[in-house]
Amino acid sequence: MIPVVLLTGFLGSGKTTLLQRLLKDPSMAGAAVLINEFGEVGLDHQLLDRIDDNVVLLKSGCICCTVRGEVADALSNLDSLRSRGEIAFDRVVIETTGLADPYPVLQTLTAHPVLRSHFTNGGVLTTVDAVNAQLQVEHRAEAVRQIAAADRIVLTKTDLADAGEDQALRARLARINPAATILTTQEPVETILSGFEPAAFAAALVTDDAHHCGPDCDHEGHHHHHAHSHGTHGHHDEDLGVTSFSLVIEDEIDWTMFGTWLTLLLHKHGDRIFRVKGILALEGEDKPIAIHGVQHLVHAPTHMTHWPNGPRRSRIVFILEGISPDQIRRSFAAFTGCSAVRAAA
């Protein structure tokens, strides 16, 4: 299974500049990159061999492919070339257009009958312009969706933003997507291209929980409060109705009941649930299960090797638009029968 990393970001956020840097790195020698046009990323001087009309081999060893139709067609073409032994690659990076919603591409990987047996989701990488992002997230829903879908957020143009702007932007991004790792373009390429890492995510959840509640927090005293009316229980972007919040569940969860509830929830509200990520303590399981999904799409659960430091309990992060966090909490409690549910930031 070849991991596919989705590189997205709003217009002018620096995707192409980042991609140029990625293509020059030795670690990309075993990668295939799907772009809109060769000319846009200035590859002419790097071309080594043209395999067909849409595919070239670069001096770095990386394969570059233009997407002239559907992403599924481009991936199918690459897979056919690989199966015939004409090219070899161990991962794929897809650069989307600046106005693209990442979800349809992710859905393609799961729904396509051929692709889903050869490719797997390697994570969503979103570039964010450190100078203009605050204005973009206030007025452009596409920018918010791209940030909400991210596993990793890469800040660009940080040299042009002052320290105060940078801090405010990081706080804003954390409110939109508390489950994403925020990086800069100066990070190593391997770090930037890493996908969803359940262990790191689980550790971040425990750290975040401790930060908001502290060791003496009265969990039971909080679990009925509405996420909007208490700042420590959720984050809300008033301009776009985008809310991020967590469910913390003390009881062990029945996997079948949870799966049915999540499936029904996403079937009804998937268009407005940008992201779901979590670690679960399941009945009959000693080790945690990591889950993550975008809109209607939920990826296969990951069995983790150990629990992070901190309490052994479930925590699920939601990023929503136009849905009350309290509605999600009450739905979960009613469907699963878990009594100790509280909302948290």
Side-chain angles (χ1 to χ4, degrees):
M1 298 287 282
I2 302 293
V4 178
V5 177
L6 191 60
L7 172 59
T8 188
F10 198 68
L11 292 168
S13 64
K15 288 192 306 300
T16 300
T17 302
L18 178 61
L19 184 58
Q20 288 171 334
R21 184 199 162 198
L22 298 181
L23 288 172
K24 294 175 182 176
D25 193 275
S27 66
M28 287 287 285
V33 179
L34 275 63
I35 59 176
N36 293 311
E37 289 294 338
F38 290 141
E40 292 179 6
V41 291
L43 297 177
D44 292 344
H45 65 288
Q46 300 182 57
L47 299 187
L48 180 63
D49 189 23
R50 184 173 289 276
I51 297 169
D52 66 18
D53 288 342
N54 295 335
V55 181
V56 296
L57 182 65
L58 306 184
K59 291 179 181 178
S60 64
C62 180
I63 298 154
C64 214
C65 173
T66 57
V67 183
R68 300 238 169 114
E70 296 293 326
V71 168
D73 295 336
L75 284 173
S76 296
N77 182 42
L78 285 179
D79 190 54
S80 296
L81 291 169
R82 186 171 69 103
S83 64
R84 295 197 300 265
E86 296 182 36
I87 59 174
F89 55 89
D90 54 20
R91 69 178 165 199
V92 176
V93 178
I94 302 175
E95 183 194 18
T96 72
T97 64
L99 295 174
D101 183 345
Y103 171 69
V105 180
L106 296 175
Q107 186 183 39
T108 295
L109 296 177
T110 303
H112 195 283
V114 176
L115 296 182
R116 67 185 180 193
S117 61
H118 297 278
F119 297 96
T120 186
N121 176 31
V124 177
L125 180 66
T126 301
T127 53
V128 171
D129 179 344
V131 177
N132 299 307
Q134 291 278 24
L135 195 60
Q136 290 167 354
V137 298
E138 287 175 8
H139 299 288
R140 299 305 297 257
E142 305 98 316
V144 176
R145 284 178 176 269
Q146 291 164 353
I147 292 166
D151 294 294
R152 274 172 164 68
I153 296 171
V154 181
L155 294 180
T156 64
K157 308 178 188 178
T158 52
D159 56 321
L160 302 178
D162 61 40
E165 290 175 336
D166 182 79
Q167 220 169 27
L169 176 59
R170 286 173 180 267
R172 184 73 175 274
L173 295 174
R175 288 199 299 273
I176 296 172
N177 187 346
T181 303
I182 300 176
L183 309 168
T184 68
T185 53
Q186 283 72 49
E187 301 284 348
V189 168
E190 280 300 321
T191 301
I192 291 174
L193 287 176
S194 297
F196 175 62
E197 298 175 356
F201 173 63
L205 285 184
V206 173
T207 303
D208 183 60
D209 190 35
H211 172 75
H212 286 292
C213 283
D216 301 319
C217 176
D218 176 11
H219 295 303
E220 292 302 314
H222 288 283
H223 74 271
H224 288 298
H225 291 309
H226 193 287
H228 285 270
S229 56
H230 293 265
T232 57
H233 289 213
H235 298 300
H236 184 60
D237 191 313
E238 296 294 345
D239 295 317
L240 290 171
V242 176
T243 305
S244 65
F245 85 109
S246 300
L247 286 181
V248 180
I249 304 103
E250 309 290 349
D251 299 342
E252 290 188 338
I253 297 172
D254 178 275
W255 173 248
T256 302
M257 292 289 283
F258 175 82
T260 304
W261 170 76
L262 186 61
T263 298
L264 292 172
L265 179 70
L266 296 182
H267 178 73
K268 184 174 182 180
H269 298 296
D271 291 340
R272 294 187 292 161
I273 299 178
F274 293 165
R275 172 64 95 175
V276 179
K277 277 189 178 182
I279 50 172
L280 305 179
L282 300 181
E283 294 177 356
E285 292 280 347
D286 293 330
K287 297 174 182 176
I289 302 294
I291 60 163
H292 67 122
V294 178
Q295 296 185 39
H296 295 278
L297 175 63
V298 178
H299 302 290
T302 303
H303 293 259
M304 298 173 59
T305 57
H306 63 278
W307 280 91
N309 295 329
R312 183 182 180 279
R313 62 187 173 208
S314 302
R315 179 163 177 153
I316 310 165
V317 176
F318 291 87
I319 303 174
L320 316 166
E321 182 180 45
I323 302 176
S324 163
D326 197 48
Q327 181 181 350
I328 302 290
R329 182 191 62 77
R330 286 186 283 105
S331 166
F332 179 88
F335 199 93
T336 66
C338 290
S339 57
V341 180
R342 66 182 180 88

